[in-house]
Amino acid sequence: MTLTRPPVLVDYEDVAWFRDQPEAARGAAAALGRRVGLGEQRTAQLVLAVAELTGNLTKHAIDGSLLLRVVRTHPEPGADASAGVEVIAVDGGPGMADIPAALRDGMSTSGTLGIGLGAVQRLADTFDIHSRPGTGTIQLARFWPRPAPRSASGEPAVAGLTRPISGEQTCGDAWAARADSGHVPSGGGHAPVGGERVTGGGHVPAARDHVPTAGPRGGGASTQGRSGAERPSWSALTNPRSYQARPAVPSRAGTPPEASDVRPAVAGRTAPVRAAVPGRGEGLLVMCCDGLGHGPQAALAAQAAVQAFHAATGRTPGQVMEHVHRALRGTRGAAVAIARLEPDGRLLFCGIGNITAALVTAADRTTLMSQPGIVGHQMRQLRTYETELPATGVLVMHSDGLSERWSAADLAGLLHHPPGVIAASLLRQAATRRDDAGVVVARTPR
């Protein structure tokens, strides 16, 4: 099966969280709207919606917080990129028993501007809400300039959230995604494969990725800004073992590299593959990264991982992991997990370190296995696993800033919502404020 169009992806920038700061949130929304070119009227509508959401959080919610971030489209050839603003409001209760009633006009909350959630829904280009009594409410609203760009139609296939440890301004967790069409630009070079990507800063020089994933026996925010600043040689300080790239595994005689060793995944089973290769058609590569520790140095490692992920020419998780490993040698290092999702449901996964990855359906959660190590310092032989992601399921990856004490039942009523809402629900339920937290959710690009 081949995609007729690439999955919808957008870039996310300038992540800012607000707790008990309604004035600051309104001011930040106004500043973001003006900076990205929403226009005076559209920016005023954004600020009005933020005022309603923050008013509700302040007056009625338990542990409420609001996220603002810039979203940028990937335009079609010949079109200009467009930027908008995304708002996510999260609280821990009391929740809404009747969402349709809450969205009706006239159902405004006391003490707010009184426009009501129904008006927020009408003002936003995209609006989604999930609420459960006793658990809390998550609301997502996205604002684009007028007229809204065609590239903004549809819901992104991947979305994630990062939040720094309490007291820090920078987050050492990161996530990224990019589409892989299998087309390498003519003229050689090492440009990223495919034309779509999510998050990440500038590119780093790309070494040639010639190493496929390793054999069957393995060893035992989105961040913001650029990572061009000089970094200390943490590798030298910790004296890591040297890492030698393995020779490429040739494809079988008479078969193209894209077709060799491709085996259909068996539903419900996860198996290691000796020489993982991408399937035919469009694929979606997704990464979750946790820089060691927290603070600026952890953020530098995470930024370097995001840049290397986008710059890598590799098409399988193992190949991209090799590239990220080389790029992180001058940093603290990180735990990294990379997955490739394909239109037929096939999923390849390669993880190093303490990143939780799971396939989640309404009835089941299947955890994917990572290998011990520190990307950028010590990686034993890589191991890539192949499995199948059901059409109704999602891939969830998160750092150890979130507890693993969540189940498929916790997400059963959320799977039809946008990935950003699912990620916000997990962050609310499982994240700790004693560590950086990062989570990314992806759907199969069918």
Side-chain angles (χ1 to χ4, degrees):
M1 176 178 178
T2 302
L3 281 181
T4 58
R5 56 175 297 179
V8 176
L9 296 175
V10 296
D11 288 332
Y12 296 87
E13 306 170 3
D14 300 330
V15 177
W17 287 94
F18 299 89
R19 298 182 69 198
D20 303 321
Q21 299 171 293
E23 297 84 2
R26 292 196 296 268
L32 285 179
R34 289 191 295 266
R35 184 167 69 80
V36 302
L38 284 185
E40 183 177 349
Q41 181 179 3
R42 199 74 181 117
T43 298
Q45 293 171 342
L46 166 66
V47 173
L48 193 62
V50 169
E52 175 69 18
L53 295 174
T54 56
N56 289 342
L57 293 176
T58 301
K59 294 291 183 179
H60 301 288
I62 301 171
D63 193 24
S65 58
L66 184 131
L67 169 72
L68 288 171
R69 59 184 177 183
V70 173
V71 289
R72 297 187 186 276
T73 66
H74 295 269
E76 297 177 353
D80 295 329
S82 295
V85 177
E86 184 176 86
V87 186
I88 300 179
V90 184
D91 67 66
M96 302 178 189
D98 190 343
I99 292 178
L103 293 175
R104 285 199 296 266
D105 288 340
M107 288 294 293
S108 62
T109 55
S110 63
T112 71
L113 296 181
I115 65 169
L117 292 180
V120 175
Q121 182 182 36
R122 289 193 301 275
L123 290 172
D125 294 287
T126 299
F127 181 82
D128 193 87
I129 181 171
H130 176 269
S131 189
R132 183 182 300 170
T135 301
T137 303
I138 298 167
Q139 299 163 85
L140 181 150
R142 202 173 291 129
F143 292 78
W144 297 102
R146 290 288 184 258
R150 286 185 56 190
S151 52
S153 62
E155 189 61 34
V158 184
L161 294 172
T162 60
R163 189 181 67 194
I165 187 175
S166 295
E168 292 280 359
Q169 297 298 315
T170 57
C171 184
D173 290 358
W175 63 275
R178 61 178 172 91
D180 169 38
S181 64
H183 169 70
V184 178
S186 60
H190 310 290
V193 177
E196 300 255 18
R197 70 176 195 173
V198 175
T199 74
H203 291 125
V204 294
R208 181 169 300 276
D209 249 325
H210 65 280
V211 185
T213 48
R217 300 189 183 277
S222 116
T223 58
Q224 300 83 36
R226 312 280 179 173
S227 63
E230 184 176 354
R231 298 184 294 269
S233 178
W234 289 96
S235 295
L237 293 176
T238 53
N239 190 26
R241 291 170 52 188
S242 60
Y243 183 80
Q244 300 296 329
R246 291 174 300 280
V249 178
S251 60
R252 294 170 184 166
T255 60
E258 292 81 2
S260 65
D261 286 343
V262 175
R263 300 189 301 277
V266 179
R269 294 182 59 187
T270 302
V273 289
R274 181 175 182 83
V277 295
R280 298 184 184 278
E282 193 87 31
L284 183 62
L285 287 162
V286 185
M287 180 185 74
C288 184
C289 171
D290 180 359
L292 262 62
H294 54 80
Q297 295 300 324
L300 283 175
Q303 291 166 15
V306 168
Q307 292 181 13
F309 172 84
H310 287 306
T313 57
R315 301 186 61 206
T316 67
Q319 291 171 341
V320 179
M321 186 73 78
E322 296 270 9
H323 191 92
V324 174
H325 177 66
R326 291 192 291 269
L328 264 60
R329 279 179 175 165
T331 72
R332 284 186 174 185
V336 178
I338 301 173
R340 178 187 171 91
L341 293 78
E342 297 182 347
D344 60 358
R346 179 175 180 252
L347 185 146
L348 298 175
F349 175 80
C350 180
I352 298 293
N354 195 16
I355 296 288
T356 296
L359 308 182
V360 184
T361 65
D364 191 29
R365 165 184 163 173
T366 303
T367 300
L368 303 177
M369 185 179 298
S370 292
Q371 303 301 309
I374 302 173
V375 179
H377 290 254
Q378 293 182 346
M379 282 201 323
R380 298 183 182 180
Q381 193 173 33
L382 293 177
R383 178 174 288 182
T384 296
Y385 292 89
E386 178 179 354
T387 186
E388 182 178 356
L389 177 61
T392 57
V394 295
L395 167 69
V396 173
M397 298 193 292
H398 65 74
S399 69
D400 61 0
L402 284 77
S403 166
E404 294 190 47
R405 295 178 180 176
W406 57 271
S407 66
D410 297 321
L411 301 183
L414 280 156
L415 295 181
H416 64 284
H417 287 270
V421 172
I422 302 173
S425 176
L426 272 175
L427 195 73
R428 175 188 62 189
Q429 175 180 339
T432 173
R433 298 193 182 276
R434 299 186 301 274
D435 196 2
D436 294 331
V439 55
V440 59
V441 177
R443 286 196 171 97
T444 297
R446 298 179 187 271

